[in-house]
Amino acid sequence: MANTYHQIYIQTVFAVKYRDATICESWQPDLFSVCGNLINETGCKTLLVNGVTDHVHCFFGLKPTLSIA
């Protein structure tokens, strides 16, 4: 179909087991960049990766040919 446009945004939250504060602030930027690169390698578009010591938020645009599962 001509001129079809898809926009699918997904937010995922990855939590540490028992919500313990185990994500050290010294290596948080490295963790966030790795998560963003993994999302980009699937063909999706990373919009935001951020978090605190017990969880990480990933907000990205899902490629329409991929399923959420």
Side-chain angles (χ1 to χ4, degrees):
M1 186 182 245
N3 301 322
T4 302
Y5 184 73
H6 292 87
Q7 221 173 6
I8 305 168
Y9 294 115
I10 304 293
Q11 179 183 3
T12 57
V13 179
F14 298 99
V16 178
K17 189 174 183 176
Y18 304 120
R19 297 293 288 227
D20 291 335
T22 57
I23 302 174
C24 185
E25 290 184 16
S26 63
W27 50 271
Q28 274 182 352
D30 294 332
L31 175 65
F32 299 157
S33 66
V34 167
C35 290
N37 287 335
L38 289 172
I39 293 169
N40 291 337
E41 287 177 2
T42 62
C44 299
K45 183 177 179 181
T46 302
L47 300 172
L48 178 72
V49 177
N50 207 344
V52 291
T53 58
D54 65 348
H55 67 278
V56 176
H57 291 264
C58 298
F59 186 62
F60 58 95
L62 185 67
K63 189 175 178 181
T65 58
L66 297 176
S67 69
I68 294 174

